[in-house]
Amino acid sequence: MSSILSIDKISKFYGPIKALDNVSFEVPQGSVFGILGPNGSGKTTLLGIVMDILKASSGTFLWNGQPGSEVIRQRIGTLLETPNFYHYLSGEKNLAIAAEIKQRGKEDIARVLEIVNLTQRKHSKFSTYSLGMKQRLAIASALLGNPDILVFDEPTNGLDPAGIAEIRTLIKELSGQGKTIIMASHILDEVEKVCTHVAIIQKGHMKAVGSVREILDSRGGQQITVLEVGSDDLATLDNIARLMPGITAVQSIEGYLQVTCEEQVTASQFNKYCFEKGVVLNRLNTKRKSLEATFLEITGTKSER
């Protein structure tokens, strides 16, 4: 599979602050590639660099094997911040203005409105749109000219669950059309649901990169098991779980614990261990490893703020 974007040892300094430190990865053609990290990890800075909004302190990047240029940027649909749509104009008229500014895609307006499911509201004023609709109109603007590559920065930021579901479905549909989508996000659950590949960045450092399945299935070459466990005494369960050989992480979730184990630790072994320590489990489920659990193992933190 060929690479759409190749990033090689990119660093970015703001005075003494190192926003990015020697970041390298490749984005496969046709992938939905998530750049994942807490707020302040360097995701937006990285997107700004590859779109030539910011200049890297060192390192290089290539789009389809070519250095960034105005011609290449015009072939990429971007949503790095919500466009300044006119609240008193309709969605259709706002797209017409966007097409005029971009000097491309005027003939695409009807098509992109259909793609983002706004055809029925194309004559409605932007001020009447829900947050989800506003974000879909912003994506429609990025789709003008039918680019094969889309770059989104936090496309679901600030949306309610319904709006997030709308954008998630839209991203899946665009991926199904063969487009390569690069999206930065700090919402781990959404990345897991839509992305095929992921790069995890923390404080400007690359922590992991690969397909979502590779990241979920292994860490350091070892297979991982995740257990959901509970008891009437969660505090004691938490303490003894951390002492069991083969347990790599214990995370407290509302009403139960999520225990990450090395491959050799089975659910029955964990149950026996707890019983021998005087703790009876009232919940024991084996589940697929979540991207959130992997992220917490890799970064060792939920937040950097």
Side-chain angles (χ1 to χ4, degrees):
M1 185 180 295
S2 60
S3 295
I4 286 290
L5 173 63
S6 299
I7 293 175
D8 185 30
K9 299 177 182 177
I10 283 185
S11 295
K12 177 65 176 178
F13 297 89
Y14 293 102
I17 299 173
K18 186 178 288 187
L20 293 170
D21 186 8
N22 216 33
V23 172
S24 300
F25 61 80
E26 296 194 354
V27 176
Q29 183 176 10
S31 64
V32 181
F33 194 100
I35 301 174
L36 179 62
N39 291 326
S41 60
K43 306 184 301 296
T44 298
T45 297
L46 183 60
L47 292 186
I49 289 171
V50 300
M51 293 310 302
D52 279 330
I53 297 169
L54 300 172
K55 296 298 181 184
S57 300
S58 62
T60 60
F61 65 90
L62 300 174
W63 289 102
N64 286 317
Q66 300 295 322
S69 67
E70 185 176 352
V71 172
I72 289 175
R73 289 194 303 275
Q74 288 177 346
R75 297 174 183 167
I76 301 172
T78 61
L79 176 56
L80 299 188
E81 57 183 20
T82 303
N84 293 320
F85 290 127
Y86 293 97
H87 286 239
Y88 55 88
L89 293 181
S90 68
E92 185 178 51
K93 289 183 179 178
N94 269 298
L95 288 183
I97 292 172
E100 188 70 28
I101 293 171
K102 296 179 181 184
Q103 297 186 342
R104 74 177 192 274
K106 192 170 184 179
E107 70 285 352
D108 263 350
I109 292 174
R111 183 183 66 86
V112 299
L113 282 169
E114 186 66 27
I115 289 174
V116 301
N117 196 28
L118 285 176
T119 300
Q120 301 301 316
R121 294 293 302 274
K122 65 180 181 180
H123 296 308
S124 300
K125 291 181 179 181
F126 181 75
S127 60
T128 67
Y129 283 8
S130 67
L131 285 176
M133 292 168 65
K134 290 176 179 178
Q135 196 72 337
R136 281 189 278 134
L137 187 68
I139 292 176
S141 179
L143 292 173
L144 291 170
N146 197 24
D148 292 326
I149 306 169
L150 299 169
V151 178
F152 299 148
D153 187 11
E154 302 280 4
T156 61
N157 199 29
L159 299 182
D160 60 16
I164 290 173
E166 289 177 356
I167 302 304
R168 180 200 312 149
T169 298
L170 178 55
I171 289 173
K172 288 180 178 179
E173 290 173 351
L174 292 170
S175 174
Q177 296 171 14
K179 298 186 184 299
T180 301
I181 301 171
I182 302 168
M183 57 178 283
S185 181
H186 68 280
I187 305 177
L188 290 84
D189 184 55
E190 288 309 307
V191 169
E192 183 174 357
K193 287 175 180 175
V194 302
C195 290
T196 60
H197 296 71
V198 64
I200 296 177
I201 298 177
Q202 182 186 32
K203 295 181 179 178
H205 295 271
M206 177 66 65
K207 292 293 186 177
V209 64
S211 72
V212 171
R213 180 49 48 203
E214 288 169 347
I215 298 294
L216 290 176
D217 283 351
S218 64
R219 183 181 172 209
Q222 292 185 315
Q223 296 298 310
I224 302 294
T225 301
V226 176
L227 304 176
E228 290 182 352
V229 300
S231 77
D232 292 336
D233 188 351
L234 274 182
T236 301
L237 176 59
D238 188 305
N239 290 333
I240 67 169
R242 294 176 187 275
L243 297 175
M244 181 178 179
I247 301 302
T248 59
V250 179
Q251 181 187 1
S252 179
I253 299 175
E254 293 183 9
Y256 66 95
L257 302 179
Q258 182 171 276
V259 179
T260 306
C261 320
E262 294 177 356
E263 183 182 18
Q264 68 270 19
V265 178
T266 66
S268 60
Q269 288 172 339
F270 184 83
N271 188 30
K272 180 181 178 183
Y273 173 83
C274 292
F275 184 78
E276 290 174 348
K277 297 294 184 180
V279 175
V280 177
L281 301 181
N282 58 24
R283 175 174 183 161
L284 177 58
N285 298 319
T286 302
K287 61 174 290 186
R288 182 173 64 86
K289 182 73 178 282
S290 72
L291 187 59
E292 181 174 11
T294 307
F295 179 84
L296 292 174
E297 288 176 13
I298 292 172
T299 64
T301 181
K302 283 188 177 182
S303 174
E304 293 169 3
R305 290 183 297 170

